[in-house]
Amino acid sequence: MKLQVAMDVPSLADALTLARQVADYVDILELGTPLIKNAGLAAVAAIKAAHPDKLVFADLKTADAGELEADLAFAQGADLVTVMGALDDDTIKGAVDAGHNAGKKVVADMIGVVNNRVQRIQEVSKLGVDFVEIHAGLDEQARPGYSIETLLADGRAAGVPFSIAGGVSVDTIASVKEAGADVAVAGGSIYNSDDPAAAAKALRDAAGLPPA
């Protein structure tokens, strides 16, 4: 399993600082959607230039023009991009085509898919995405009664390569690994910490992962 940091920070300067702090302990540096909207795709190139040995994940959450948007991110150095799993199959297929042409990876983000999520995970997997991100957004996580176990159960049931995003912490990351996730995505548990490096290391240690 790989450890991914979701850099949901407002500026490129903040992202560069956070990436520098945690790079020794994570495998994938994710530029969050708010960061890309604020700083533009040039931020992808900047993060890749600063950390060429890390996988750089552009969380585009593409909802249309899948091939075009993926091409733009890949051209800036992204290794992975997201496309919305809830939306049109042709959009997903377009992003997948771009990934194949560039030798890069495409992830279907399942945020917002609540009903029949396992079925939709299996459907989008067949469209050629490299893996599916079973994702509870910040608003969903804030609702009473939210549990990461719902995501883990869907990952187990789907039987396809998946990542988990939404509540990954030192208390839950071992369960994420046990569920068979390819990637654990941690955001707030790292960037809201007083010591992001220590928080990232603690996550890695809690999951029993080898050095990044």
Side-chain angles (χ1 to χ4, degrees), residues 25-205:
Y25 306 108
V26 303
D27 307 289
I28 305 173
L29 299 169
E30 175 194 331
L31 286 82
T33 313
L35 172 61
I36 291 175
K37 286 183 175 181
N38 187 44
L41 283 174
V44 175
I47 294 293
K48 189 64 177 180
H51 300 279
D53 58 326
K54 298 296 176 182
L55 294 172
V56 172
F57 188 118
D59 189 15
L60 301 179
K61 290 191 174 70
T62 291
D64 191 20
E67 186 168 8
L68 173 60
E69 290 201 2
D71 278 339
L72 291 171
F74 292 144
Q76 293 295 323
D79 299 292
L80 307 97
V81 302
T82 49
V83 60
M84 296 296 286
L87 298 178
D88 193 89
D89 286 359
D90 287 337
T91 302
I92 298 170
K93 289 176 184 177
V96 167
D97 286 345
H100 288 164
N101 291 336
K104 304 294 182 69
K105 293 186 177 182
V106 174
V107 181
D109 190 330
M110 303 307 295
I111 192 169
V113 179
V114 178
N115 297 322
N116 302 315
R117 181 159 57 189
V118 170
Q119 178 183 333
R120 185 56 180 161
I121 288 169
Q122 293 169 336
E123 289 171 352
V124 298
S125 182
K126 291 176 182 177
L127 298 175
V129 299
D130 292 277
F131 60 92
V132 174
E133 183 173 289
I134 308 175
H135 184 184
L138 296 176
D139 294 337
E140 182 179 347
Q141 292 177 55
R143 293 177 195 147
Y146 168 74
S147 172
I148 193 174
E149 273 302 321
T150 303
L151 308 186
L152 300 181
D154 286 351
R156 295 186 193 100
V160 303
F162 69 95
S163 65
I164 293 290
V168 173
S169 68
V170 291
D171 296 322
T172 61
I173 194 167
S175 296
V176 174
K177 185 181 180 184
E178 288 166 7
D182 293 80
V183 179
V185 184
S189 61
I190 293 178
Y191 62 72
N192 286 330
S193 170
D194 291 337
D195 187 341
K201 182 179 186 300
L203 282 165
R204 197 164 198 93
D205 291 345

